[in-house]
Amino acid sequence: MTGWLDGYVALITGGGSGIGRAVAERFLAEGASVAILGRDRAQLDAVVTESADPDRMLAVEADVRDADALHAAVAGTVHRFGKLDTLVTNAGIWDYKRAITRFDANTLSSTFDEVFAVNVKGYLLAAEAAWRELVKTRGSIVMTLSNSSFYVDGGGPIYTASKHACLGLVRELAYELAPKVRVNGVACGGMNTDLRGPQSLDMQERSLAASFAKRTDATPPPPIPLHDSSTDPRDFTGSYVLLASREQSGPITGHAISVDGGIGVRGFATAAGGDHL
Ligand SMILES: NC(=O)c1ccc[n+]([C@@H]2O[C@H](COP(=O)([O-])OP(=O)(O)OC[C@H]3O[C@@H](n4cnc5c(N)ncnc54)[C@H](O)[C@@H]3O)[C@@H](O)[C@H]2O)c1
């Protein structure tokens, strides 16, 4: 084996589908052993069984809002593989771009609490559960961020604020855990995944993949500079490998790599979102 992550051990939240699964499979191919954490036991088991090397994978059923379960996941990973080099915080939900003008106050409040509990608290609790083991290995944390960590219109106010908050976690934790543990992010653009919505909006069964399935040859290209940019999560995994590898990115911390087809250079798509109000 001569991968960039030879002998590494990683724990990936939300590793049962989408970009989390793609990163798990890529890490495995790069020589790592990988624990995947999620809420759906059957889904996680299937990922392990279908993987290239089930002996180097571990499925952990847990909710990222549960601090004790995250501690148990870290302990279980170390028990099975001997150490922890990389934590990928990734489990998340989307608000399906629900604008403030389409909320009543109570639903806004409950949706905020739910999305922030998963997307932000879930990342912070995982980091808290893992940092002691990461100090031992001089390991690192890689957080899945989003174009919504920098720009508007990739979500509604709740999702956008949650992903901006995750960028704040990258920067603050990079400071607090240095010099022993590096903390970085990968700011993904649109990917064809199973990304779900909040239960508070009754959108827990809605999947982003359904909107990709509706696309036809006649569908206009997405409004990003790289029109033909891939939406296959497997094509987004390289930056995770780079940031996880201390040999390849040892001096990088507190940084986010944008893998978004160039959204940041496109300028305004429309002048304002509320011209119809
Ligand atoms: N799909 C996109 O276009 C896109 C773009 C930018 C960023 N992202 C981010 O990528 C990350 C992964 O999402 P994805 O697109 O791969 O979708 P996905 O739904 O395929 O993956 C998310 C995973 O997290 C799990 N999960 C959700 N809530 C959980 C909880 N409370 N506890 C444990 N596991 C939980 C889900 O079961 C799922 O396996 C998210 O943070 C998302 O915000 C996605």
Side-chain angles (χ1 to χ4, degrees):
M1 187 79 66
T2 53
W4 272 15
L5 302 177
D6 235 348
Y8 276 58
V9 176
L11 170 63
I12 302 174
T13 71
S17 62
I19 183 68
R21 176 178 184 166
V23 170
E25 290 171 347
R26 179 70 191 275
F27 276 20
L28 201 68
E30 296 288 342
S33 299
V34 185
I36 50 172
L37 180 150
R39 282 186 294 190
D40 185 338
R41 177 92 235 171
Q43 180 191 59
L44 296 167
D45 286 342
V47 172
V48 172
T49 310
E50 292 162 17
S51 79
D53 188 351
D55 289 342
R56 278 193 287 125
M57 288 202 80
L58 174 68
V60 183
E61 186 181 344
D63 192 299
V64 293
R65 293 166 288 191
D66 181 342
D68 291 341
L70 288 165
H71 273 265
V74 169
T77 304
V78 172
H79 178 72
R80 169 76 179 271
F81 298 123
K83 59 173 181 160
L84 181 68
D85 297 283
T86 312
L87 169 71
V88 178
T89 59
N90 167 78
I93 51 177
W94 194 36
D95 65 2
Y96 279 84
K97 294 181 71 167
R98 179 68 64 104
I100 190 171
T101 49
R102 292 178 54 220
F103 273 108
D104 63 67
N106 285 335
T107 318
L108 181 65
S109 177
S110 55
T111 305
F112 179 94
D113 289 347
E114 183 182 353
V115 173
F116 266 69
V118 178
N119 290 11
V120 186
K121 190 168 81 171
Y123 279 26
L124 187 57
L125 291 179
E128 192 283 324
W131 71 262
R132 295 163 192 82
E133 291 299 330
L134 295 172
V135 164
K136 291 179 194 165
T137 58
R138 294 196 81 113
S140 84
I141 301 174
V142 184
M143 298 192 170
T144 296
L145 304 178
S146 166
N147 47 282
S148 297
S149 298
F150 297 94
Y151 313 113
V152 301
D153 205 26
I158 295 175
Y159 183 79
T160 302
S162 79
K163 288 298 174 183
H164 272 63
C166 292
L167 178 61
L169 291 181
V170 165
R171 291 174 168 157
E172 181 64 29
L173 297 184
Y175 170 72
E176 293 185 13
L177 298 178
K180 297 285 174 66
V181 178
R182 299 179 302 113
V183 185
N184 292 292
V186 179
C188 299
M191 297 174 288
N192 186 352
T193 70
D194 192 31
L195 190 60
R196 301 295 177 97
Q199 207 162 2
S200 342
L201 294 176
D202 204 17
M203 284 182 164
Q204 66 275 18
E205 298 303 332
R206 187 158 164 186
S207 171
L208 183 58
S211 20
F212 279 94
K214 282 188 205 139
R215 290 190 182 177
T216 65
D217 289 346
T219 308
I224 59 173
L226 297 182
H227 287 163
D228 58 355
S229 179
S230 172
T231 60
D232 184 331
R234 288 173 296 190
D235 293 336
F236 291 69
T237 58
S239 299
Y240 290 83
V241 176
L242 174 76
L243 292 173
S245 166
R246 56 179 80 79
E247 291 80 7
Q248 303 296 335
S249 65
I252 302 179
T253 197
H255 193 70
I257 298 178
S258 287
V259 190
D260 62 6
I263 289 173
V265 296
R266 83 179 171 196
F268 295 115
T270 56
D275 282 334
H276 61 291
L277 296 177

